[in-house]
Amino acid sequence: RSRAPSRRGRRPFLPTLLPPLSNPLSSSPTSSKFSLHRQIQSPIPDSLPMPTLRSATLSPAPAATPSPTAVTPSPAAAGTTPSSAAKRRMTARRAADSPDSPQFASPHKSPLAGSGHFGAPKMLSGSPKSSRKRLYGDLVPAERPKWNPRDPAQMQAVKEALHVATTPSCGLVCRDDEQRRVFEFCKACVQQERAGSLYVCGCPGTGKTLSISKVKQSVSRWADEMGMETPDDLSINCTNLGNTSDIFGKILEKFQVRKKASGKLSPLQQLQRMFSHKESAPRRMLLVVVDEMDYLITRDRAVLHDLFMLTTLQFSRCILIGIANAIDLADRFLPKLESLNCKPLVITFRAYSKDQISNIINHRLKVLEYDVFEPMAIEFCARKVAAATGDMRKALGVCRSAVEIFESGLQDSSDKGAGVVTFDHMDIALSKVFKPAVVNNILCLPQHQQMVLCALANTFQHSRKKATTLGELNKSYIEICRSTQVPAVGMLEFSNMCMILSDQGYLKLGQSKEDKLRRVTLQIDISDITFAFKGSRFFEKCLEQPKF
């Protein structure tokens, strides 16, 4: 058995990973011994970063930046001293540990974050205006040009947009369902080449006539697209008829048939004969729209009954659409049609709601490039009209009146700034439209009698008394005339004016030996007097006078 070598002859173990013990470029053995001692004594640093998985979104590190995990070249290969190599390793280690280093990768750092502070968000480039437009796009409303009410062209455009006779360019809104039902009825009649009758009813100003005119255009356009023969159309307003039976002559003229034996057969009889035989029946359909049909109601209701009966004949080519305000016209005046199973289809146009009225007004104003009304003013008008009648024509009239009141205020004032129609203008316009009969009567009185009523209102507004004397009323009247610079009438004429107002029911006069001591009592409400004179500067000044 071989013996182990002695300790004296054993060579010391040196790790192969360590660099050479001596520097071949160094000539001093002392420096070689010091370098070996320094490399062995310095421990391997624990703060070297561990290799991490980089995200696919991270950009690769620049090639010029040293990596902390890269193998440090030997001093011999670099051509430097061991001390300088160690110094380079320490510098690279500090750079790797720095958070500003490009190689520093943390799981909490956003991949979109750039250099600089840790986790700083990336800012959008560009000016604030461009970035706002890029971010919000169409959500930023464009400023509309201001309305110049002193421009006559702009003022005229506003009045035309609110006129009842103006057909809105955007089309009729809030009546889509009713128009669809009428169109489907006419479409079925044209496709099947059969006659039919339809009755459209509703309150005034609910869009009946305008809707039917739109349906007529739609039917003609649909027939052209389908390659079918376009039906003829005839519109008759019964208020323009001299005689109710003249309507049959107008229908007969539309069929372009010469009246044969006119002395023996009436237009109604010729139409009945025409629709009773296939040879004489016309080939093209005729759409007849009869507006204000309730004017055809006679004592025996013969004209109205015969008109609807034309659509029940075998070879009739009439599509009859009647328009009237009476909802129960077919039930009250045409009971025979129901027994013959010829009752017309009834479509009711209900009164507009406040939302619909507001929507229609805004649609009419869309053709303008500027704002004319305050939103609160339009809503106030819509609520008032919807609660009263729901008449769209009355709502348009109120808006036009508010514009005229605003225009008159511009003429009186020296302010050149542009403005809009406010809530106060709309309130005055509504008060003129929706006023009781007594208010109209007050407005029709002569000026001095109106001033007497103002004197009565001032007398009873400032006292709890319900009666006064004719002398005290005369003093209040004289004070009003003095403040308004209107010549007052004498006592005798004043007493006669009070007697006229008493006969009309505005006040009551008592009996007395002297006229000045006669008892005067107001028979109408003070609110009716103030409401009647609302918006008039002269009478508002009269009502501001205190009790004498």
Side-chain angles (χ1 to χ4, degrees):
R1 179 180 298 181
S2 61
R3 300 181 61 183
S6 62
R7 292 179 178 268
R8 290 181 182 179
R10 186 181 301 176
R11 298 181 66 177
F13 173 75
L14 295 176
T16 58
L17 296 177
L18 292 176
L21 296 178
S22 62
N23 189 356
L25 300 178
S26 178
S27 58
S28 175
T30 308
S31 64
S32 174
K33 186 181 302 182
F34 176 77
S35 174
L36 176 64
H37 174 74
R38 185 174 181 179
Q39 293 183 19
I40 294 176
Q41 291 297 327
S42 61
I44 299 176
D46 297 334
S47 60
L48 287 176
M50 297 297 293
T52 58
L53 293 176
R54 289 182 179 272
S55 174
T57 58
L58 286 176
S59 60
T65 306
S67 174
T69 58
V71 179
T72 307
S74 63
T80 56
T81 61
S83 60
S84 63
K87 190 177 297 184
R88 281 199 304 269
R89 287 196 299 270
M90 294 297 295
T91 305
R93 193 180 309 141
R94 289 192 189 99
D97 292 341
S98 174
D100 296 336
S101 174
Q103 295 294 331
F104 183 79
S106 172
H108 303 289
K109 188 172 182 180
S110 172
L112 299 178
S115 60
H117 297 287
F118 175 74
K122 189 174 182 180
M123 301 300 293
L124 292 173
S125 61
S127 61
K129 292 184 178 180
S130 61
S131 62
R132 184 185 180 193
K133 185 176 182 181
R134 183 171 62 253
L135 288 174
Y136 297 99
D138 296 336
L139 296 180
V140 180
E143 294 184 359
R144 302 183 66 182
K146 293 184 178 180
W147 176 38
N148 183 14
R150 298 184 182 275
D151 187 358
Q154 293 188 11
M155 181 63 70
Q156 185 63 25
V158 172
K159 293 181 180 179
E160 289 180 358
L162 296 173
H163 201 277
V164 179
T166 303
T167 303
S169 58
C170 57
L172 187 63
V173 295
C174 304
R175 289 302 181 202
D176 297 334
D177 184 56
E178 290 84 356
Q179 292 184 48
R180 180 188 56 80
R181 293 175 60 188
V182 177
F183 175 75
E184 292 295 333
F185 168 79
C186 298
K187 178 181 174 182
C189 292
V190 174
Q191 284 179 334
Q192 302 174 13
E193 295 185 355
R194 63 173 178 84
S197 58
L198 176 70
Y199 177 64
V200 176
C201 59
C203 298
T206 52
K208 301 184 295 296
T209 305
L210 187 57
S211 297
I212 299 303
S213 63
K214 293 291 183 181
V215 170
K216 286 196 305 181
Q217 300 174 5
S218 301
V219 170
S220 300
R221 188 165 51 250
W222 166 80
D224 292 338
E225 293 175 356
M226 298 298 295
M228 304 178 65
E229 193 172 13
T230 305
D232 293 331
D233 61 88
L234 175 63
S235 298
I236 302 173
N237 194 317
C238 296
T239 57
N240 299 328
L241 297 176
N243 193 0
T244 55
S245 59
D246 293 345
I247 188 172
F248 301 111
K250 290 184 175 294
I251 298 174
L252 187 62
E253 291 176 1
K254 191 64 179 180
F255 281 112
Q256 298 179 355
V257 177
R258 293 184 179 180
K259 301 180 181 180
K260 298 180 181 180
S262 58
K264 297 181 179 180
L265 297 178
S266 64
L268 174 61
Q269 293 173 345
Q270 293 187 46
L271 288 173
Q272 292 173 347
R273 175 179 291 185
M274 182 191 309
F275 296 150
S276 301
H277 300 85
K278 185 175 182 181
E279 294 79 10
S280 60
R283 185 170 53 90
R284 179 174 293 188
M285 302 292 294
L286 176 62
L287 178 59
V288 183
V289 178
V290 182
D291 201 358
E292 305 294 344
M293 183 177 274
D294 44 3
Y295 278 83
L296 298 179
I297 299 175
T298 56
R299 181 172 297 180
D300 55 355
R301 296 144 193 174
V303 175
L304 199 60
H305 183 270
D306 292 336
L307 181 61
F308 278 97
M309 286 299 295
L310 287 178
T311 61
T312 63
L313 299 177
Q314 185 177 1
F315 301 103
S316 177
R317 291 292 183 268
C318 282
I319 305 173
L320 178 63
I321 299 179
I323 305 174
N325 298 331
I327 297 177
D328 56 348
L329 182 141
D331 297 331
R332 288 169 54 194
F333 303 106
L334 303 173
K336 293 182 181 180
L337 294 180
E338 187 174 2
S339 61
L340 296 174
N341 199 17
C342 302
K343 185 179 179 180
L345 177 66
V346 179
I347 297 179
T348 304
F349 280 61
R350 300 191 179 278
Y352 286 112
S353 62
K354 63 178 183 63
D355 296 331
Q356 291 175 332
I357 293 176
S358 177
N359 192 13
I360 293 172
I361 295 175
N362 289 325
H363 270 75
R364 280 180 170 262
L365 296 175
K366 276 186 177 180
V367 297
L368 307 175
E369 298 178 353
Y370 34 79
D371 295 327
V372 179
F373 292 89
E374 285 183 352
M376 188 180 297
I378 295 179
E379 184 180 357
F380 180 47
C381 173
R383 287 180 178 274
K384 191 76 173 180
V385 175
T389 58
D391 191 343
M392 192 61 220
R393 292 178 296 188
K394 185 166 289 187
L396 293 175
V398 169
C399 292
R400 279 177 57 88
S401 178
V403 171
E404 292 173 355
I405 293 171
F406 172 70
E407 184 181 12
S408 63
L410 289 175
Q411 297 175 357
D412 297 339
S413 63
S414 60
D415 186 13
K416 297 184 179 180
V420 294
V421 180
T422 62
F423 182 90
D424 295 334
H425 299 125
M426 190 66 71
D427 186 22
I428 297 173
L430 285 168
S431 64
K432 291 182 177 180
V433 175
F434 298 99
K435 51 190 175 185
V438 64
V439 175
N440 290 326
N441 296 334
I442 291 175
L443 294 176
C444 295
L445 293 174
Q447 183 183 22
H448 282 273
Q449 294 184 18
Q450 292 175 342
M451 295 172 69
V452 171
L453 293 179
C454 291
L456 275 171
N458 293 334
T459 301
F460 294 121
Q461 271 183 344
H462 298 87
S463 65
R464 296 182 180 180
K465 297 180 180 179
K466 295 183 179 181
T468 184
T469 61
L470 199 60
E472 293 180 356
L473 182 60
N474 186 34
K475 293 179 182 179
S476 179
Y477 163 75
I478 293 174
E479 184 67 25
I480 291 176
C481 292
R482 187 180 303 166
S483 63
T484 57
Q485 298 181 357
V486 176
V489 298
M491 185 61 191
L492 181 60
E493 188 174 354
F494 177 79
S495 177
N496 293 333
M497 286 194 305
C498 292
M499 291 179 63
I500 294 174
L501 292 175
S502 176
D503 294 338
Q504 295 179 354
Y506 295 105
L507 53 90
K508 184 178 180 181
L509 284 176
Q511 298 294 330
S512 179
K513 294 181 179 180
E514 298 183 10
D515 287 343
K516 293 183 178 181
L517 300 179
R518 297 181 67 177
R519 182 183 178 91
V520 181
T521 308
L522 188 63
Q523 296 294 105
I524 60 176
D525 293 334
I526 299 177
S527 59
D528 292 335
I529 301 175
T530 57
F531 185 79
F533 298 136
K534 189 175 183 180
S536 175
R537 294 187 177 182
F538 176 81
F539 288 105
E540 284 181 350
K541 187 176 181 180
C542 294
L543 291 171
E544 291 175 358
Q545 296 299 320
K547 179 178 177 294
F548 181 76

